[in-house]
Amino acid sequence: MINLVNNLLNICVENKLITDIDKIYIRNRILALYKINEFERLNLEFENLNLYETLEQLCNIAIEKQIITDTIQDRDIFSSTIMNEFLDKPSIINDKFYGLLNENSPQTATEWFYHQSKCCNYIKVDRIAKNKEYTTYSPYGDLKVTINLSKPEKDPKQIALEKLAPPTSYPSCLLCVENEGYQGTVKLPDRANHRVIRMELNNKPWCMQYSPYLYYNEHCIILSESHEPMQITKETFSTLLDFVTTLPHYFAGSNADL
């Protein structure tokens, strides 16, 4: 197991999620997740595994130790819990984002946040790669058609567990800011490694996050801090214009109130 954990630590150092100084601390925090007091030193080589393969192997060990069950949901929750150890708290994330925005450029800030969201496995890069894409010419420009294969299909075991699970009212919806850091349940997705950027748009508190299952490059979502019906009004246009003023290299639109 120590080989797997060390491999994950090295990957995250390479991806600039952490530095070498953080390794001992995070290694011990991962150890605590497995409820063991010392690493089982096995002579196994995992240096060639990528981030997603490493997390899969770590989940396999958690299943063997009966810490989690062998379902997609439990695997995702456990993986996100591990990767959350490599992330700063939301306040620090926001300070870094706005530091880059003010001292460098808006594009530098979003590139950093996008890179982090991929490297911590919040954006499911390995699953998105399964999507099929086709491009064809049209009189109005190239038309891209995507067959979405990234979101995992629920197995019968998970469907049965969802039916037995009690109803929940928190988070209020899948796009609410309340999802930031949420562990996840059999009904709700894992969000322990999820962070959002706070923004003041049109004199109201809003947030920006990336979609975990991107439909296009740097696919982000603008969400209100308050849970309220999505309606298009004059205020909507002011909000959208404020967003592209803050991040002028992005394009914003609204699919609300359809």
Side-chain angles (χ1 to χ4, degrees):
M1 179 174 168
I2 191 170
N3 308 65
L4 275 173
V5 175
N6 284 341
N7 189 55
L8 181 61
L9 291 167
N10 291 333
I11 289 171
C12 291
V13 168
E14 185 178 341
N15 287 333
K16 298 182 179 179
L17 286 181
I18 61 170
T19 67
D20 284 329
I21 293 175
D22 303 312
K23 280 184 172 182
I24 295 173
Y25 168 81
I26 295 174
R27 186 171 61 198
N28 284 329
R29 298 316 306 153
I30 295 175
L31 184 69
L33 294 176
Y34 286 90
K35 302 176 182 178
I36 55 179
N37 295 323
E38 61 180 67
F39 281 108
E40 299 169 6
R41 298 180 182 274
L42 303 177
N43 293 320
L44 300 175
E45 297 298 327
F46 295 105
E47 285 80 4
N48 294 325
L49 297 184
N50 62 29
L51 171 66
Y52 318 107
E53 294 165 338
T54 304
L55 289 173
E56 183 180 5
Q57 293 293 332
L58 287 169
C59 284
N60 289 341
I61 294 173
I63 292 166
E64 291 172 8
K65 292 181 174 295
Q66 299 183 335
I67 297 170
I68 62 173
T69 61
D70 190 8
T71 62
I72 293 174
Q73 191 71 0
D74 266 10
R75 283 176 171 271
D76 283 351
I77 289 173
F78 194 74
S79 296
S80 294
T81 301
I82 289 175
M83 294 311 299
N84 183 53
E85 298 293 341
F86 294 90
L87 295 178
D88 289 320
K89 289 184 173 61
S91 58
I92 299 175
I93 297 289
N94 276 260
D95 285 346
K96 287 183 178 179
F97 180 88
Y98 282 104
L100 290 169
L101 187 148
N102 295 322
E103 296 171 16
N104 294 275
S105 69
Q107 188 167 352
T108 303
T110 55
E111 284 177 352
W112 169 78
F113 187 48
Y114 185 57
H115 175 77
Q116 176 181 268
S117 299
K118 290 189 294 183
C119 292
C120 74
N121 200 37
Y122 165 69
I123 296 177
K124 310 296 186 185
V125 176
D126 60 326
R127 294 180 185 171
I128 294 167
K130 298 177 182 178
N131 290 346
K132 302 294 184 183
E133 292 187 355
Y134 303 91
T135 303
T136 186
Y137 169 79
S138 83
Y140 307 101
D142 288 343
L143 177 66
K144 179 180 286 188
V145 178
T146 302
I147 301 175
N148 191 345
L149 300 175
S150 58
K151 291 187 178 181
E153 294 290 337
K154 296 179 181 178
D155 57 35
K157 188 189 302 183
Q158 185 175 341
I159 293 171
L161 289 172
E162 286 187 11
K163 289 181 179 179
L164 296 173
T168 59
S169 58
Y170 181 87
S172 301
C173 75
L174 293 178
L175 293 181
C176 272
V177 69
E178 296 165 350
N179 287 279
E180 188 176 37
Y182 189 73
Q183 179 172 332
T185 67
V186 68
K187 285 188 172 183
L188 298 170
D190 52 297
R191 292 291 182 264
N193 57 344
H194 173 42
R195 301 291 187 271
V196 302
I197 300 301
R198 267 64 175 180
M199 292 182 169
E200 183 175 309
L201 303 175
N202 194 23
N203 298 315
K204 292 183 179 179
W206 288 76
C207 302
M208 187 272 279
Q209 69 177 59
Y210 288 110
S211 171
Y213 294 100
L214 305 173
Y215 293 147
Y216 42 83
N217 187 42
E218 297 188 43
H219 174 190
C220 63
I221 300 166
I222 310 166
L223 55 135
S224 173
E225 276 199 6
S226 58
H227 180 78
E228 55 190 38
M230 295 192 296
Q231 297 176 331
I232 294 180
T233 65
K234 289 182 179 179
E235 297 296 308
T236 306
F237 293 94
S238 297
T239 301
L240 293 174
L241 288 170
D242 263 6
F243 179 79
V244 293
T245 299
T246 303
L247 302 177
H249 59 297
Y250 273 6
F251 176 91
S254 178
N255 63 350
D257 212 8
L258 299 177

